[in-house]
Amino acid sequence: MSVEQLIETMRPDVERCIEGNETVARVRAGDVDRELLQRLVIAEFNCQEAELVTYGLLVARHHDDAPLNLFALVVQTLAQARLLLAEAARSVDLRPEEFSVSTSGRLARAVGSLIAPGMLGKPGGVALYVHSDLAVWCPLYGRIAAAGRKLGNIPVPLIEYMEWWGSEPAPEFVDKSAETIAYGLEHGEDPEDILEAARQLDSIVADYWGFVHDK
């Protein structure tokens, strides 16, 4: 499989993760309470913590240009996002001591799944995951932010946090992800293994939003 074929193979997974999202539906219907927004911020904070660990480890493990540039970009972007997320947390009346989650449950499972690639992940598989992850998160955040602005049912700092990611993945991420998938293929990664790594997305998305919806 080529890079383009791998990305295209993941398209149904991406679309399945986007369609029918309950938070989008609730915001559009005006059915938003403070607890829902707090759980969204808590989920984002905890997953960011895991991703900072993971991609920091990946930076340490991979020194060739393609993977290093991608993983360093993820770390840099997450560090910038945390500044905005702190303001978003204050806007929904969350204190730092309320960010932690228990060691069991859906969000804890998502966090564990996000940490594992730091020690075990291969560049191509992680890169396809990054590409697919942003292809889900950016549209979802874009839809929630647009509905929140229209109906006025989400604090502006949280809307601005979601809008900061963009309604679609930034070209720099798309390009660097593709370069790293190609790098993985060139260095012997099996296309099926790359797809298997990327398909962790489905369960992580389900656990993340399941926690937000309190299910």
Side-chain angles (χ1 to χ4, degrees), residues 46-48 50-51 54-55 109-118 129 204:
N46 280 270
C47 288
Q48 278 188 7
E51 289 171 326
T54 289
Y55 292 97
R109 189 162 62 228
V111 166
S113 297
L114 288 168
I115 288 175
Y129 175 87
I204 292 171

Side-chain angles (χ1 to χ4, degrees), residues 35-213:
E35 183 180 0
L36 175 73
L37 300 179
Q38 288 180 339
R39 293 175 76 84
L40 176 58
V41 171
I42 289 169
E44 187 68 1
F45 178 85
N46 280 270
C47 288
Q48 278 188 7
E49 292 238 302
E51 289 171 326
L52 282 166
V53 171
T54 289
Y55 292 97
L57 286 170
L58 287 164
V59 166
R61 288 176 50 213
H62 300 287
H63 303 139
D64 288 342
D65 285 352
L68 181 59
N69 287 337
L70 173 63
F71 302 146
L73 176 62
V74 174
V75 172
Q76 180 186 31
T77 302
L78 288 169
Q80 294 172 336
R82 288 177 74 78
L83 298 175
L84 292 172
L85 189 61
E87 182 62 28
R90 287 190 287 271
S91 76
V92 296
D93 302 322
L94 267 179
R95 299 183 300 273
E97 61 268 24
E98 296 174 306
F99 288 163
S100 298
V101 295
S102 67
T103 56
S104 62
R106 299 197 73 161
L107 185 55
R109 189 162 62 228
V111 166
S113 297
L114 288 168
I115 288 175
M119 292 299 297
L120 304 173
K122 295 182 179 180
V126 175
L128 184 57
Y129 175 87
V130 169
H131 188 284
S132 305
D133 180 39
L134 288 172
V136 170
W137 247 255
C138 292
L140 283 180
Y141 277 171
R143 294 177 188 185
I144 294 168
R149 279 205 181 273
K150 181 179 180 180
L151 298 178
N153 53 8
I154 297 179
V156 171
L158 181 51
I159 289 176
E160 290 177 342
Y161 172 78
M162 291 185 283
E163 288 177 339
W164 181 81
W165 286 97
S167 59
E168 59 184 30
E172 187 176 15
F173 269 108
V174 173
D175 293 345
K176 291 186 185 305
S177 296
E179 290 168 6
T180 305
I181 296 167
Y183 171 93
L185 290 170
E186 291 165 4
H187 287 76
E189 286 186 57
D190 187 292
E192 290 304 319
D193 290 341
I194 291 176
L195 283 170
E196 183 178 356
R199 283 177 170 151
Q200 297 299 308
L201 177 71
D202 201 17
S203 62
I204 292 171
V205 169
D207 284 334
Y208 180 104
W209 292 104
F211 172 83
V212 174
H213 305 149

